[in-house]
Amino acid sequence: MYIPFDEMVDTSRVWIYQADKQLSTAEQSQIESKCNSFLQEWAAHGQALKSSFQIIHDKFLVISVDESFNQASGCSIDASVALVKNLEQELGINFFDRTKICFLVNGEIVEIPLNGIKSEVKNGNIKSDTLTFNNLVSDIRSFQTDWKVEAKNSWLKRYFQ
């Protein structure tokens, strides 16, 4: 069952998918339609899952499930991954490329390949206080507090020592 994202409890589990490009309005509408339909019916072993999603910065798809209501099973999680893979095929977007890191620079999302980070730091384009995204946060509380972090407080800190 779908509920608005801001009504999800802090302990709700999250999965963050980073698109390999900025999502257009039309693409976001298609993603919203597919996610709404999927989440209305999403279940684990026949038990409805209280779930939600949102698209942030025209780039990130965040899916959440309140496991205090019903726990997501391996099969139900696989179904959500299949949803995202289906969106990839329909829209020609890659949500699973982990070789690019996003930063928030002057209010804009900047995506840098892993092998280009060192030079971007050296050139001063990425600074220690530049915000980056920790797409590995596991719940809403962490998402709200630790998703956007300064580069010096992330695994990228080694570039600023």
Side-chain angles (χ1 to χ4, degrees):
M1 85 184 66
Y2 171 81
I3 66 167
F5 198 87
D6 60 357
E7 293 178 19
M8 297 296 288
V9 297
D10 286 350
T11 56
S12 297
R13 196 165 170 188
V14 296
W15 294 269
I16 302 169
Y17 299 95
Q18 177 179 302
D20 65 348
K21 66 178 201 122
Q22 185 172 351
L23 300 169
S24 70
T25 303
E27 290 166 332
Q28 289 184 52
S29 292
Q30 191 168 347
I31 291 168
E32 289 170 359
S33 174
K34 297 279 185 181
C35 285
N36 273 319
S37 294
F38 174 80
L39 296 179
Q40 287 293 355
E41 303 299 321
W42 197 19
H45 304 294
Q47 300 297 311
L49 294 174
K50 190 184 282 187
S51 54
S52 194
F53 78 96
Q54 62 179 341
I55 299 169
I56 303 174
H57 294 301
D58 303 327
K59 182 83 168 166
F60 302 95
L61 171 60
V62 182
I63 297 175
S64 181
V65 64
D66 178 357
E67 291 192 305
S68 68
F69 181 76
N70 279 319
Q71 288 229 288
S73 65
C75 292
S76 64
I77 294 167
D78 288 349
S80 70
V81 172
L83 163 73
V84 177
K85 288 192 173 287
N86 185 286
L87 289 168
E88 279 188 323
Q89 290 178 343
E90 288 182 16
L91 300 171
I93 295 169
N94 187 337
F95 282 106
F96 293 93
D97 182 357
R98 305 289 187 244
T99 65
K100 295 180 182 156
I101 307 302
C102 285
F103 297 89
L104 191 58
V105 179
N106 299 322
E108 299 288 323
I109 299 294
V110 175
E111 191 175 68
I112 300 173
L114 281 171
N115 62 5
I117 292 174
K118 188 175 184 179
S119 64
E120 291 294 321
V121 169
K122 183 179 177 183
N123 294 336
N125 297 325
I126 300 298
K127 299 174 177 56
S128 64
D129 63 348
T130 301
L131 292 178
T132 188
F133 299 87
N134 176 9
N135 293 336
L136 299 177
V137 294
S138 60
D139 59 38
I140 296 270
R141 182 180 298 116
S142 298
F143 174 72
Q144 293 169 339
T145 60
D146 300 327
W147 179 50
K148 293 179 189 176
V149 294
E150 291 183 341
K152 67 184 175 194
N153 296 326
S154 75
W155 65 272
L156 296 162
K157 64 185 171 196
R158 66 179 178 238
Y159 294 104
F160 303 102
Q161 297 174 347

